[in-house]
Amino acid sequence: MASKLIAIVAGVGPGTGASVARKFAATYPVVLLARSPSNYESLTNEINSAGGKAIGISTDISDSKSVQNAVETIKKEFGNDVGAAAAIFNASGGFLRKPFLELPEDVFSTSLDVSAKGGFIFSQATLPLLLRGVEQKSQHPPSLIFTGATASVKANANMASFATGKWALRALSQSLAREFGPQGVHVSHAIIDGVIDIPRTKELLKELGPEAKLNADGIANDYWWLHTQPKTNFTWEIDLRPAVEKW
Amino acid sequence: MASKLIAIVAGVGPGTGASVARKFAATYPVVLLARSPSNYESLTNEINSAGGKAIGISTDISDSKSVQNAVETIKKEFGNDVGAAAAIFNASGGFLRKPFLELPEDVFSTSLDVSAKGGFIFSQATLPLLLRGVEQKSQHPPSLIFTGATASVKANANMASFATGKWALRALSQSLAREFGPQGVHVSHAIIDGVIDIPRTKELLKELGPEAKLNADGIANDYWWLHTQPKTNFTWEIDLRPAVEKW
Amino acid sequence: MASKLIAIVAGVGPGTGASVARKFAATYPVVLLARSPSNYESLTNEINSAGGKAIGISTDISDSKSVQNAVETIKKEFGNDVGAAAAIFNASGGFLRKPFLELPEDVFSTSLDVSAKGGFIFSQATLPLLLRGVEQKSQHPPSLIFTGATASVKANANMASFATGKWALRALSQSLAREFGPQGVHVSHAIIDGVIDIPRTKELLKELGPEAKLNADGIANDYWWLHTQPKTNFTWEIDLRPAVEKW
Amino acid sequence: MASKLIAIVAGVGPGTGASVARKFAATYPVVLLARSPSNYESLTNEINSAGGKAIGISTDISDSKSVQNAVETIKKEFGNDVGAAAAIFNASGGFLRKPFLELPEDVFSTSLDVSAKGGFIFSQATLPLLLRGVEQKSQHPPSLIFTGATASVKANANMASFATGKWALRALSQSLAREFGPQGVHVSHAIIDGVIDIPRTKELLKELGPEAKLNADGIANDYWWLHTQPKTNFTWEIDLRPAVEKW
């Protein structure tokens, strides 16, 4: 039965999402959700070639129909009674640092749609699978983990579009932690407070040395650690930043 | 010139909104925005009869076109160069205390649409008028005030739909405070942490006595106090609760 | 009877303390506590000359015997059944921005002794008088107000000695607000997040213009506003900063 | 060289302290500090018998002379150039849930002396050893970990004596994290938000089942996890509570 337990990762780019997928793929079949297949194809190949099991499903996380289709695909692949050991919400609705009065409404709306509504849709779709993971006596308490940012706890000038979605997502995760903890699902929120070291950020913070950026595999380790906490010792929130970060 | 300065209140029900409108109407012409005219008609009559000046505009605060129409109506009424001394966002997207998996998507979306997107749209529409208030040397720094709730800082179980919108709104207010404070606009956020004493809540908390509920006129006094703070002494956030409240 | 109600201010320097004393002296006889009489003498003269009533008492706020002596002096002056309308804790245990390993233990201890233990001693000495103010039906709910700082909510590097005392004081004020609110005493905490404009800070922030520093009289107005809130609408915490402040 | 690295634990009772000592003893020689030898004697015996290395030193953590003596003893035992891989502050100054006006000053002072001043003294004594651990290229970044509580972030009524010390300790840990992170020392704070399962708490929360209390070995695992985070991914703060805890 435990073989039916899967891990689902929404938002798979070259950073946290990919590292998390690799980490959880060492134990569970993983399902990768991203709008564009180009975001998960090489990763599913890599995991499957290495002896793991991964499928990717093209999904618009802010659209409940699209997410429901993804769940149907998951059930076809893993059975109608499939349970989840982990669901990780790593999607993010973009980022436009702009004077507020120059911020287009659709940028603001898209950020909210992905971070807040997307978080809602993903949670409603995966919690039934996580609760089935509880029934199926998963080794570790089934985990629902949300990726936050500096902007989850601080709303700076010119950051309104990003921060509103991220604060909303943090609220969602806190409410769910309180509701689903007693039901055996471990809901967590990680404040990623710094720049992640990925190809796109190569030139950033170079002057501070090689340890000035967050390591994505390190984040994945921390998510795995959260996943393995027993029911007596649940952490809702961690912050994560490089040692040299100013905060 | 100062005669051109108005106050705009979005979300006018029988509680905070009406009290705030009355309070600010003692000094400024007030514009009341609500979806249904029944929410502002008796209030505009009351204020106009008492020698003040009030107009109501039927507005869907979560729809930028509707809000833009309201601004056009305001300009027709008060002139194209109208400035604002205060803009108060008191709208709220409903409230459904329900197990998360029973929460309809449209309830969640509506809450976000009003609290978060509505806050965004209202701010983009009124900040140009508030900045004109700065230019027109309003007696008190033009104020943009947001009404929050317990759920703005704590996301309890079964409160996901309300809390996500309220946390997003608080983020918006903090970001705007940081951006527009240096430009002379005073942005504030009030955490209303308790039940407001209005007809609808008459039966609530009776056992705790007549002072167990927040007084709406008291809230309006506090908003006025925020409005009169000088540029050297801006408060971003206050909390408000009855003395007997458990918190 | 109301004539018996006094206001007590601990920590009277040239800034907040003096402004608060003047403000409350317009309504109540005021008692000023400071270690050195030079800190209150000219102020008591000023208030008494202007038709108010003020006495100063040389007090070490971190020493319960000294504070008990002050209470005895107060009772001799105003009667054994004297009640208080307000007690304001504005003392602070110094400030040494230093690398942690160079921080002398006595600097750390003194800061804790004044901010945390001083706050405790002052509260234990004044709360009985404030509760008597409740019995004597003071016009406004008797108020116990604590002056905080940026370091009350953020502990920066090299600020350990100041921040520990200030966080402790904030904790004290929150606990007291929860315990004594239901008994009719209004306990508040003000986060003064910026430089106060006093002779000693004349040269600071000049480049940002005349409004870059907090106005001490403005702070006093805000404390008075807190004092006048009714029992239905208590604020525990406000933050205060100049409009141009980065935060 | 790495053989010189030790772990130091202050505050060793039957719960968190003992579990942490056992956990870190699997990798490092451990030094246990407690006022009474009865608090560490059986534990040092247990660790030494199991092939580990442990010494206990009778220490009053709120007395800098006593702590300095402990450091001298450590140097005699492990060499003058001894470095530390971890220092864990688990001491706590007691707990008296009482109406504020019945709280004896010495109870308040003792709590501050242990939590706040003790934290200061312990940090000043161990940071030089932790910095030596950095020089000696410890496998994991040397860690300074503080044990907090619910009362570290919430100051309830009747909890003033405990909360003031705990808030002060949290401030200390945040300031040190910001100062010493860039120097390679990982400073963390754990909010233990629930009852720990130890003999003394056997009868508590029985009605909620066997998983209603925090497991001390689980806390130790989490401290070890914090210890093993790389310099690119430091967590300052975690919260920990049973899944069924109301919060």
Side-chain angles (χ1 to χ4, degrees), chain A residues 182-211:
Chain A
Q183 300 179 48
V185 176
H186 183 185
V187 182
S188 295
H189 182 256
I191 300 166
I192 310 298
D193 184 24
V195 175
I196 302 175
D197 192 5
I198 51 175
R200 183 166 51 82
T201 62
K202 204 172 191 170
E203 298 304 311
L204 293 179
L205 305 180
K206 267 180 138 171
E207 68 285 7
L208 294 177
E211 297 180 316

Side-chain angles (χ1 to χ4, degrees), chain D residues 204-219:
Chain D
L204 294 178
L205 306 180
K206 267 180 138 172
E207 69 285 7
L208 295 177
E211 296 180 317
K213 283 177 273 191
L214 284 146
N215 180 276
D217 288 346
I219 298 174

Side-chain angles (χ1 to χ4, degrees), chain C:
Chain C
M1 253 203 201
S3 66
K4 291 258 176 68
L5 293 175
I6 61 170
I8 305 168
V9 184
V12 191
T16 306
S19 290
V20 166
R22 280 187 199 100
K23 182 75 187 179
F24 283 70
T27 305
Y28 306 112
V30 294
V31 176
L32 311 183
L33 309 181
R35 195 182 299 231
S36 159
S38 66
N39 275 331
Y40 56 70
E41 277 172 350
S42 66
L43 185 58
T44 52
N45 288 341
E46 178 196 320
I47 291 170
N48 288 319
S49 305
K53 162 86 178 163
I55 64 168
I57 306 172
S58 170
T59 310
D60 176 355
I61 204 69
S62 65
D63 175 351
S64 56
K65 289 236 173 70
S66 175
V67 173
Q68 212 42 58
N69 285 339
V71 171
E72 290 312 310
T73 305
I74 289 171
K75 289 186 175 171
K76 264 180 213 142
E77 182 74 28
F78 297 99
N80 271 322
D81 63 341
V82 62
I88 289 140
F89 186 78
N90 189 54
S92 193
F95 192 103
L96 197 55
R97 196 190 293 261
K98 245 190 184 312
F100 181 71
L101 292 175
E102 298 170 20
L103 198 62
E105 183 183 337
D106 68 320
V107 169
F108 186 87
S109 291
T110 300
S111 178
L112 265 188
D113 275 355
V114 175
S115 290
K117 204 170 129 194
F120 167 83
I121 290 169
F122 180 76
S123 301
Q124 280 209 334
T126 58
L127 274 162
L129 279 67
L130 293 162
L131 289 169
R132 205 164 303 133
V134 175
E135 284 168 27
Q136 294 174 1
K137 301 192 186 308
S138 64
Q139 192 195 344
H140 306 297
S143 303
L144 175 57
I145 304 177
F146 296 88
T147 299
T150 316
S152 301
V153 289
K154 195 172 180 191
N156 283 328
N158 302 331
M159 293 291 283
S161 66
F162 192 56
T164 46
K166 283 297 192 186
W167 285 45
L169 186 67
R170 188 172 178 243
L172 177 69
S173 78
Q174 190 181 87
S175 178
L176 296 179
R178 289 185 164 117
E179 181 174 350
F180 290 93
Q183 300 178 48
V185 176
H186 183 185
V187 182
S188 295
H189 182 255
I191 300 167
I192 310 298
D193 184 25
V195 175
I196 301 174
D197 192 5
I198 51 175
R200 184 166 51 81
T201 62
K202 205 170 191 171
E203 298 304 312
L204 293 178
L205 307 179
K206 268 180 138 172
E207 69 284 7
L208 295 177
E211 297 181 315
K213 282 177 275 192
L214 283 147
N215 180 277
D217 289 345
I219 297 174
N221 282 342
D222 293 327
Y223 284 18
W224 182 258
W225 162 73
L226 288 169
H227 176 53
T228 61
Q229 286 187 314
K231 275 180 72 179
T232 50
N233 295 48
F234 275 4
T235 289
W236 168 54
E237 188 164 78
I238 58 169
D239 53 342
L240 278 170
R241 65 180 63 78
V244 300
E245 183 80 13
K246 284 254 176 205
W247 57 290

Side-chain angles (χ1 to χ4, degrees), chain B residues 94-142:
Chain B
F95 192 103
L96 197 54
R97 195 190 294 262
K98 245 190 186 308
F100 181 72
L101 292 174
E102 298 169 22
L103 199 62
E105 183 183 338
D106 68 320
V107 169
F108 186 86
S109 291
T110 300
S111 179
L112 264 188
D113 274 356
V114 176
S115 289
K117 203 170 131 196
F120 168 82
I121 291 168
F122 180 76
S123 300
Q124 281 209 333
T126 58
L127 274 162
L129 279 68
L130 293 162
L131 289 168
R132 204 165 303 132
V134 175
E135 284 169 26
Q136 294 174 1
K137 301 191 187 309
S138 64
Q139 192 195 345
H140 306 297

